[in-house]
Amino acid sequence: MSVIVDYRNVEIERAEKTVLKNVSFTLSEGEFCYLVGRVGSGKSSLMKTMYADVAIPSGEKADVLGFDLLNLKKRRIPYLRRKIGIVFQDFQLLQDRSVNENLRFVLRATGWSQRQDIEDRIEEVLTAVGMANKSYKMPHELSGGEQQRIVIARALLNDPKLILADEPTGNLDSAMGEEVMDLLHSLNRNDGLTVVMVTHNEAHARGTDRTVRFFDGRIIS
């Protein structure tokens, strides 16, 4: 399997403070990988570098999906992000728009122009996450678990090669959290999507998953 993330001796800073040093990390296509550690251990910072939300000041190599993050021009960042689906803890749905309108907004913002293509793609991703009958709903009419399914649908819109999920069950009860985890695993297993998930809860990790642990500014496993 091809390597889609390749970091070698990378240093990561936030607000001019080093949060991770000597990071060497690779991720292969089709993996489901957990980034596990206490709050502030650097796991979310590492994830944010993968979609160029946090810059990498130094390192031997920092490559994501063929993009060289050490020399990435600002104008190239949107092209990188179109290859990545991002699932946030706090949903970040537009509250004044329906599910359909939320997804249509993203497609138009990323270059889709043909109306039928847009509607077909929205139907495809909503079906994939089990929400095909909720397209007319407003976000406040959905449960937390349903909103997170819509967020995952949004992440799938541009057929990404990589899904980055930052504490995606953090605002959900345990039952809804398990449903979201099952969905992410299904997308990984059945559709071959590569998934990286940040969590502070090691209980989420399943037997066949890869777990990378963070402690005191370093990756320890």
Side-chain angles (χ1 to χ4, degrees):
M1 290 188 181
S2 60
V3 173
I4 61 174
V5 177
D6 191 356
Y7 284 15
R8 300 179 193 171
N9 293 321
V10 162
E11 185 170 292
I12 297 172
E13 294 181 354
R14 301 290 297 272
E16 299 184 357
K17 179 182 178 182
T18 299
V19 293
L20 284 170
K21 50 193 173 185
N22 300 323
V23 174
S24 292
F25 172 80
T26 60
L27 183 72
S28 296
E29 187 177 2
E31 281 195 278
F32 197 114
C33 179
Y34 288 94
L35 307 183
V36 178
R38 295 177 179 175
V39 173
S41 62
K43 56 192 187 300
S44 290
S45 295
L46 176 63
M47 175 176 281
K48 288 179 178 180
T49 66
M50 295 180 195
Y51 59 95
D53 192 48
V54 171
I56 298 175
S58 64
E60 291 179 25
K61 184 176 184 179
D63 185 283
V64 175
L65 297 167
F67 289 80
D68 177 6
L69 300 185
L70 294 172
N71 299 290
L72 187 64
K73 305 292 186 185
K74 280 190 176 181
R75 59 183 171 80
R76 296 284 295 161
I77 292 176
Y79 296 96
L80 165 66
R81 291 179 179 171
R82 284 175 199 175
K83 294 178 178 289
I84 298 173
I86 304 171
V87 179
F88 298 102
Q89 177 180 348
D90 55 358
F91 312 142
Q92 298 190 11
L93 293 168
L94 301 171
Q95 295 299 311
D96 61 342
R97 306 187 190 198
S98 70
V99 166
N100 210 322
E101 290 166 340
N102 264 273
L103 301 182
R104 190 181 297 117
F105 174 82
V106 173
L107 287 173
R108 291 197 178 280
T110 52
W112 292 60
S113 58
Q114 297 299 313
R115 180 177 177 180
Q116 193 58 52
D117 290 344
I118 289 172
E119 297 310 312
D120 289 347
R121 186 57 182 156
I122 289 172
E123 184 178 354
E124 286 172 3
V125 297
L126 288 178
T127 298
V129 301
M131 295 290 286
N133 62 338
K134 299 293 178 78
S135 63
Y136 65 94
K137 294 276 192 178
M138 301 295 284
H140 67 84
E141 297 178 296
L142 303 173
S143 69
E146 288 173 332
Q147 289 189 62
Q148 195 60 292
R149 283 176 178 268
I150 299 304
V151 172
I152 294 170
R154 182 180 63 191
L156 296 174
L157 283 170
N158 283 300
D159 194 21
K161 304 298 182 187
L162 174 63
I163 294 288
L164 301 177
D166 195 353
E167 297 277 9
T169 64
N171 286 332
L172 306 178
D173 64 32
S174 58
M176 287 183 176
E178 277 300 311
E179 288 185 9
V180 168
M181 294 301 303
D182 287 344
L183 174 57
L184 289 171
H185 275 89
S186 175
L187 292 168
N188 168 253
R189 181 176 59 254
N190 298 330
D191 299 334
L193 274 174
T194 308
V195 179
V196 179
M197 178 176 161
V198 165
T199 182
H200 64 275
N201 186 356
E202 287 208 40
H204 281 147
R206 304 186 181 186
T208 58
D209 300 329
R210 177 182 170 198
T211 301
V212 177
R213 293 175 177 82
F214 292 70
F215 181 75
D216 196 26
R218 295 180 183 273
I219 291 177
I220 59 173
S221 66

